Amino acid sequence: MHFILRRVLGSIIPAMIYLDYAATTPLDQRVLDAMMPYFRENFGNPSSIHRLGQKAETAIDAAREKVAAVLHCQPDEIVFTSCGSEADNLALRGAMMARHKASNETWILTAKTEHHAVSKTAEQLEKEYGFQLEWLDINEYGAVTPESLSKAICSNTALASLMLANNEIGTINPIADLAKIAKENNILFHTDAVQAAAYLDVNVETLGVDLMSLGGHKFYGPKGVGALYIRKGTKLVPHMTGGAQENNLRAGTHNVPLIVGFAEALRLAAEEREDRTGHVQPLRDRIIGNVLETIPDSRLTGHPQTRLPNHASFVFKDVDGNLLLQLLDSAGFACSSGSACKTGNPEPSEVVTSLGYSRDWALGSLRITLGVDSTPEQIDSFLNALPALVEKARKLHS
Ligand SMILES: *Cc1c(COP(=O)(O)O)cnc(C)c1O
């Protein structure tokens, strides 16, 4: 597995060390192999009555069963979407509209640490659709505690949406505890597990969630495909109307090869979870230990232990994070920052600011995320290069 992917990356971008697996991952060769027949030979529309259509429909059914096996749910509780963002949109907008129709519940609870696919959707529901939105308190690690959720719930609360693992700072939320509180109070609970699914168990029974979003390209699957788990009995208003595909919740001809690839990639992620975790975690720990020791005015963002095993994220005081990324890119390292990349007028990331960092710290964020192709040699050369690049960015900043 490692060998196959390493060869792919090595031949495409030989001079680059990729440390940005939270942004996206390369497609696993085995996943591509599973997808290929559905581009040309088996190109039928799953909604067609004839045999070519049936063949495509069989592939979709098999993919749905594969996904259901990983999630420990029924196949008809899975809706395939065009990406993780769409799954988040369908969950929030669909659930709020359906719930509101059935009752007077108008409140959404979520947090500033959420991916924009959740937070911007919640903001739009407030601004354009007349719902009410409350941002839950987070702790210093960017996690939402059960107490914070409990105290915000009122009789008009409809839905809480809190992510399983944070894409920017790696922190894992106590989703089972949070979902339990939601259930006790008869409110719906959605979790964005798009970043988490590569490394964490996404069993909807142990998590206890009503809705859960996934996205293929974060776990070596293809881009442009995601899924939403919808617990039986949870009513949603479809946000894409037209044909009757996906239980009447998501119109549009199925993208058969991408759905096949999504399911195979998720199956492999579950099957190889321990190996993949065992591979990245020691490398991550070396990065965290080394950076905090060698770089002055550096802090780890997110939780030191309860975080994704492939995820290291920092802030450096008086550093322009985007400039640091450019310096790293020139030196051959592909990393990411937390801040929304607006050249000229950089704004610090809301996620990092919500942890309580002032602007002079929050602007200097750096995220390093590892994957199956990461090697100890790559980490050595990164750790050797970083201190001087941070110094250089500091000099250029002041
Ligand atoms: C990447 C990501 C998304 C968006 O997924 P897409 O498939 O790229 O639309 C949503 N939430 C989290 C936490 C993510 O990491």
Side-chain angles (χ1 to χ4, degrees):
M1 160 90 194
H2 299 170
F3 173 71
I4 293 168
L5 278 178
R6 197 168 301 149
R7 211 172 42 188
V8 170
L9 272 189
S11 61
I12 296 169
I13 32 172
M16 204 72 194
I17 290 179
Y18 190 72
L19 299 169
D20 201 12
Y21 286 84
T24 196
T25 57
L27 191 66
D28 188 316
Q29 181 66 50
R30 295 167 296 181
V31 173
L32 180 61
D33 292 345
M35 292 166 65
M36 285 309 277
Y38 297 96
F39 283 107
R40 285 174 55 78
E41 296 101 283
N42 303 327
F43 65 91
N45 185 329
S47 304
S48 301
I49 301 287
H50 52 68
R51 266 169 291 165
L52 260 177
Q54 282 170 23
K55 210 159 187 177
E57 193 183 18
T58 305
I60 300 284
D61 290 346
R64 207 183 300 281
E65 276 168 26
K66 250 188 215 181
V67 173
V70 174
L71 269 52
H72 294 259
C73 68
Q74 297 302 314
D76 64 358
E77 294 177 304
I78 306 290
V79 164
F80 290 114
T81 64
S82 70
C83 59
S85 298
E86 192 197 320
D88 285 341
N89 271 262
L90 174 58
L92 267 70
R93 203 173 290 111
M96 285 309 291
M97 294 180 114
R99 189 88 175 192
H100 183 51
K101 246 185 8 191
S103 68
N104 247 351
E105 295 169 354
T106 51
W107 282 89
I108 308 165
L109 305 177
T110 186
K112 293 270 189 189
T113 41
E114 292 294 311
H115 190 275
H116 278 167
V118 166
S119 58
K120 298 277 177 191
T121 304
E123 282 174 359
Q124 192 205 48
L125 285 164
E126 180 182 47
K127 191 159 169 259
E128 309 286 347
Y129 295 75
F131 292 107
Q132 287 143 303
L133 171 58
E134 182 170 340
W135 302 108
L136 297 175
D137 291 337
I138 55 163
N139 66 18
E140 62 186 307
Y141 305 120
V144 174
T145 61
E147 296 72 45
S148 153
L149 176 62
S150 283
K151 74 171 193 231
I153 292 175
C154 65
S155 60
N156 290 338
T157 307
L159 169 86
S161 178
L162 297 164
M163 68 207 315
L164 181 47
N166 189 284
N167 48 302
E168 278 188 48
I169 54 172
T171 295
I172 299 167
N173 269 325
I175 292 302
D177 296 339
L178 295 166
K180 188 158 167 268
I181 291 167
K183 196 182 173 113
E184 286 163 4
N185 288 278
N186 190 30
I187 70 171
L188 287 175
F189 193 91
H190 167 252
T191 194
D192 173 341
V194 179
Q195 194 62 237
Y199 292 100
L200 305 183
D201 193 7
V202 283
N203 179 334
V204 294
E205 283 315 313
T206 49
L207 290 172
V209 297
D210 302 301
L211 298 153
M212 181 172 76
S213 305
L214 299 170
H217 71 102
K218 303 288 174 71
F219 46 75
Y220 308 97
K223 293 170 184 61
V225 61
L228 180 65
Y229 158 76
I230 306 167
R231 185 178 290 280
K232 208 156 279 176
T234 310
K235 297 224 164 18
L236 298 188
V237 172
H239 75 153
M240 186 113 116
T241 44
Q245 290 92 348
E246 299 301 290
N247 261 335
N248 273 311
L249 280 171
R250 205 275 177 181
T253 301
H254 292 100
N255 194 331
V256 183
L258 267 65
I259 290 170
V260 167
F262 174 93
E264 180 62 5
L266 184 66
R267 187 188 71 77
L268 288 166
E271 190 177 280
E272 298 177 0
R273 187 165 287 138
E274 266 176 53
D275 282 354
R276 294 184 190 182
T277 301
H279 174 68
V280 291
Q281 193 158 315
L283 299 175
R284 175 204 70 178
D285 290 342
R286 218 161 96 219
I287 293 173
I288 294 177
N290 185 289
V291 166
L292 295 178
E293 196 182 297
T294 59
I295 300 185
D297 281 334
S298 60
R299 300 265 188 285
L300 180 74
T301 53
H303 199 283
Q305 283 92 36
T306 313
R307 65 185 299 128
L308 287 171
N310 72 325
H311 195 295
S313 55
F314 305 93
V315 283
F316 304 119
K317 189 167 182 280
D318 296 327
V319 167
D320 174 342
N322 286 337
L323 175 63
L324 179 60
L325 288 184
Q326 285 166 22
L327 295 173
L328 280 162
D329 180 62
S330 303
F333 303 100
C335 305
S336 167
S337 92
S339 54
C341 307
K342 264 198 212 134
T343 36
N345 180 25
E347 278 307 311
S349 140
E350 278 173 43
V351 176
V352 176
T353 324
S354 69
L355 301 177
Y357 287 103
S358 56
R359 197 183 161 84
D360 52 343
W361 279 92
L363 276 177
S365 57
L366 177 68
R367 178 184 76 185
I368 300 111
T369 46
L370 308 172
V372 291
D373 294 307
S374 304
T375 63
E377 296 73 34
Q378 292 179 342
I379 304 312
D380 284 343
S381 71
F382 172 75
L383 291 173
N384 282 335
L386 187 66
L389 297 176
V390 172
E391 264 327 289
K392 190 167 176 187
R394 270 190 182 132
K395 286 219 180 75
L396 290 168
H397 187 67
S398 52

